[in-house]
Amino acid sequence: MTIQELLAQFGDKYLQALITTYQLTFISFFLATILGVIITVMRVSPIRPLQIAADFYVQIFRNIPGAALLILLVYALPYLNIVLPYFTAVLIATTLIPSSFCSEYLMSGMNTIGAGQIEAARSLGMTFMQMIRHVVMPQAIRSSVLPMTNLLVATMLTTALASQVPLNPTDLTGIVSYINTHAVGGITAFLISAVLYCGTAVIIGQIGNQIDRKVRILR
Amino acid sequence: MTNGTISIRDALYESPGPKAKKIIAAATVLSLVVLAALIYLVIHQFYITGQLDSRYWSVFARASTWRYLGKGLLGTLKVALGSSLVAFAIAMVMMLGRLSSIRPVSWIAVALIELSRGIPTLLFIYFFFLVPSQFGIMLPVYWKITLPVAISASGVVAETLRSGVNAVPKGQTEAALSLGMTDGKVFFKIVFPQAFRYVIPSLIAELVIVLKDTTFAYVVSYADMMLNARVLISNYDALLAVYLVVAVIYIIINYLLHRAAVFMAGHRKTAAA
């Protein structure tokens, strides 16, 4: 099949698939960031049980394979009388996994600030909140631009999990197996999805680099 | 965290006074209660749906269950090992290409690395699952999962190797060149052995990515741990229990790999100091 034939026949389906992938990516990324911040606050809090629980959370979700998590959410939870719509199940999986990585990036970002600066801030008589607002956050946010762009790309790649459940409209990976079972799409069908994924990743990377160049702290 | 350096976690708070101590103690108790309540809720949900019933968990009292899962794990490890080796080989070529002084070669390498890093593993898997057969190429099931996982990891590995090469001081290259070594000799005898040692921790950490991706082996019906779990489930009707245990096994393996990477990184730092 040539690319024109394929687009004429499945063009609108590709568009819907692209929208599904973008939807999942951006909603998950947004939720994962919020969750990641909450988890990180728990990890640096002086309250021991919260630290342990948050560390545990991060180790679970950074180490669980996406397929295993999705299977648990879709096929195992109904045994506990919890039935999730497919889209929600995918969304939860693609939020929980990136949220643990988000917390790891934030932690390592905070660690680059160095204890010396905190000690200096304290000797200037800053309160805890002043330290967080004027010393920790400005540096942490600036140095987290590149990790966050990587996280956004990683989240997009994780959303390919959506192809493992029947979803309508399906995502960019699901559409390829759909076309290949309904017609002989061949390499072209893959190429379109691949270009859309990769193009998005490159654009995200470029925007991230631009922002990073503006706010980067030279050490 | 170790070796006397203070982590940010410790540095953020000064030693608490009597008032702060009381607040922290109260918050600790409160958080313990909330966490206990959460755990209770989960166990309660298991209980009222009958999932704690011994008939679901007795599967794991049989040696045959573990033998079967172990066989699956062996399949998983075979794919992971094969993928890692292939990924490393591809990554070496990509990295050498990217560092090449011939412009078009390095452009092509950059494009390939971006492609590998910007496309989900599942898409590569579907490609190897669906396309070769359309051209009459019969790929063994093992390679249908191993090749896509390898290709998907190769871009990341290539960038890791490149960062290692960049970390080797320029003086090393200059010294080696002044001794009359050829470019190839300088790279493979002087630069790369050091670069490789720098990136060992990152490479171990990247094994986690490979191991996670092997769980998609069920797409091509390769008998890994996930697929064998599914067979167990159809035999014993204990879906929740089996998938939960399998997920925990994956988490433990990946966690150990992660610890190994952290350990190697710490080991290298102390060795260098």
Side-chain angles (χ1 to χ4, degrees):
Chain A
M1 246 188 202
T2 65
I3 198 156
Q4 285 93 347
E5 285 169 349
L6 204 62
L7 281 179
Q9 201 178 339
F10 295 107
D12 50 334
K13 281 221 183 309
Y14 267 110
L15 190 65
Q16 282 175 347
L18 185 68
I19 292 170
T20 307
T21 292
Y22 280 2
Q23 249 179 1
L24 278 168
T25 304
F26 290 107
I27 300 174
S28 302
F29 180 71
F30 178 70
L31 295 176
T33 309
I34 294 175
L35 209 56
V37 170
I38 294 172
I39 292 295
T40 310
V41 170
M42 283 168 72
R43 290 172 85 186
V44 298
S45 77
I47 298 150
R48 202 73 191 115
L50 288 187
Q51 283 183 11
I52 295 170
D55 280 345
F56 190 69
Y57 173 95
V58 169
Q59 290 310 332
I60 295 279
F61 289 112
R62 71 170 294 176
N63 287 321
I64 194 170
L69 180 59
L70 188 67
I71 283 174
L72 283 176
L73 288 171
V74 173
Y75 300 109
L77 278 188
Y79 284 88
L80 297 174
N81 287 343
I82 302 167
V83 183
L84 300 168
Y86 287 125
F87 189 84
T88 316
V90 173
L91 197 65
I92 291 175
T94 57
T95 299
L96 293 181
I97 293 175
S99 76
S100 66
F101 285 97
C102 175
S103 176
E104 289 288 77
Y105 295 149
L106 291 175
M107 286 297 275
S108 66
M110 282 169 85
N111 276 323
T112 56
I113 294 168
Q117 292 201 30
I118 306 293
E119 284 161 4
R122 187 172 296 135
S123 66
L124 286 174
M126 283 191 180
T127 64
F128 181 72
M129 280 321 284
Q130 280 178 323
M131 259 167 22
I132 297 286
R133 265 195 54 198
H134 299 296
V135 180
V136 177
M137 284 318 266
Q139 300 190 64
I141 290 173
R142 280 157 177 245
S143 59
S144 66
V145 172
L146 280 187
M148 287 313 256
T149 24
N150 288 338
L151 185 71
L152 183 53
V153 173
T155 308
M156 179 183 74
L157 298 183
T158 314
T159 63
L161 278 175
S163 62
Q164 300 306 296
V165 296
L167 211 62
N168 193 23
T170 182
D171 77 316
L172 273 181
T173 302
I175 184 85
V176 174
S177 57
Y178 172 85
I179 290 173
N180 267 276
T181 46
H182 284 76
V184 185
I187 297 174
T188 324
F190 285 91
L191 219 58
I192 297 171
S193 279
V195 166
L196 289 174
Y197 272 120
C198 204
T200 311
V202 168
I203 291 169
I204 292 171
Q206 288 298 323
I207 295 172
N209 278 334
Q210 291 288 324
I211 299 174
D212 180 61
R213 214 165 293 156
K214 280 200 183 117
V215 302
R216 176 178 1 191
I217 308 162
L218 295 170
R219 286 199 169 90
Chain B
M1 265 168 248
T2 48
N3 305 340
T5 52
I6 311 162
S7 81
I8 200 82
R9 214 183 243 190
D10 306 321
L12 271 177
Y13 309 100
E14 38 197 339
S15 29
K19 207 167 141 197
K21 259 187 192 152
K22 259 183 213 156
I23 296 173
I24 290 174
T28 304
V29 172
L30 185 71
S31 62
L32 270 178
V33 170
V34 171
L35 288 173
L38 276 175
I39 294 169
Y40 171 77
L41 267 179
V42 172
I43 294 175
H44 182 70
Q45 197 67 28
F46 271 76
Y47 179 72
I48 56 170
T49 50
Q51 285 299 321
L52 289 181
D53 200 297
S54 63
R55 77 193 155 99
Y56 291 121
W57 298 90
S58 60
V59 191
F60 295 104
R62 297 165 203 259
S64 62
T65 304
W66 291 105
R67 216 174 306 131
Y68 198 59
L69 278 182
K71 221 158 120 199
L73 181 61
L74 208 66
T76 295
L77 295 179
K78 261 191 222 157
V79 174
L81 186 71
S83 302
S84 309
L85 293 177
V86 175
F88 188 78
I90 302 173
M92 274 302 279
V93 176
M94 282 173 162
M95 183 264 292
L96 288 172
R98 177 142 193 201
L99 292 173
S100 162
S101 50
I102 309 164
R103 273 303 179 75
V105 172
S106 90
W107 287 336
I108 292 171
V110 169
L112 290 179
I113 291 171
E114 289 301 330
L115 275 174
S116 155
R117 295 200 308 167
I119 297 173
T121 315
L122 265 170
L123 197 62
F124 283 121
I125 293 174
Y126 278 116
F127 183 86
F128 279 90
F129 181 48
L130 299 167
V131 171
S133 58
Q134 289 174 11
F135 292 91
I137 303 166
M138 287 302 151
L139 224 48
V141 174
Y142 175 79
W143 292 109
K144 276 187 191 167
I145 179 68
T146 302
L147 284 178
V149 171
I151 291 172
S152 179
S154 61
V156 184
V157 178
E159 287 298 89
T160 306
L161 291 175
R162 192 173 67 97
S163 75
V165 169
N166 287 338
V168 177
K170 279 277 170 293
Q172 304 261 346
T173 313
E174 289 160 8
L177 284 173
S178 71
L179 286 174
M181 284 188 171
T182 60
D183 279 342
K185 256 194 174 165
V186 171
F187 188 81
F188 286 105
K189 295 235 149 139
I190 307 291
V191 177
F192 190 71
Q194 300 184 61
F196 185 70
R197 229 168 286 169
Y198 282 132
V199 296
I200 286 175
S202 308
L203 291 178
I204 295 176
E206 275 146 26
L207 283 177
V208 174
I209 304 176
V210 170
L211 202 85
K212 279 183 178 177
D213 282 346
T214 63
T215 50
F216 292 121
Y218 67 83
V219 173
V220 300
S221 308
Y222 176 81
D224 75 330
M225 191 157 64
M226 214 60 168
L227 198 80
N228 279 12
R230 194 182 275 185
V231 175
L232 278 178
I233 287 163
S234 58
N235 284 346
Y236 295 109
D237 184 35
L239 186 142
L240 184 84
V242 173
Y243 273 143
L244 211 55
V245 169
V246 167
V248 169
I249 295 174
Y250 275 115
I251 291 171
I252 291 172
I253 296 172
N254 287 336
Y255 177 72
L256 292 177
L257 280 173
H258 170 65
R259 294 304 310 171
V262 173
F263 173 77
M264 291 297 288
H267 193 68
R268 209 195 59 220
K269 252 177 222 153
T270 46

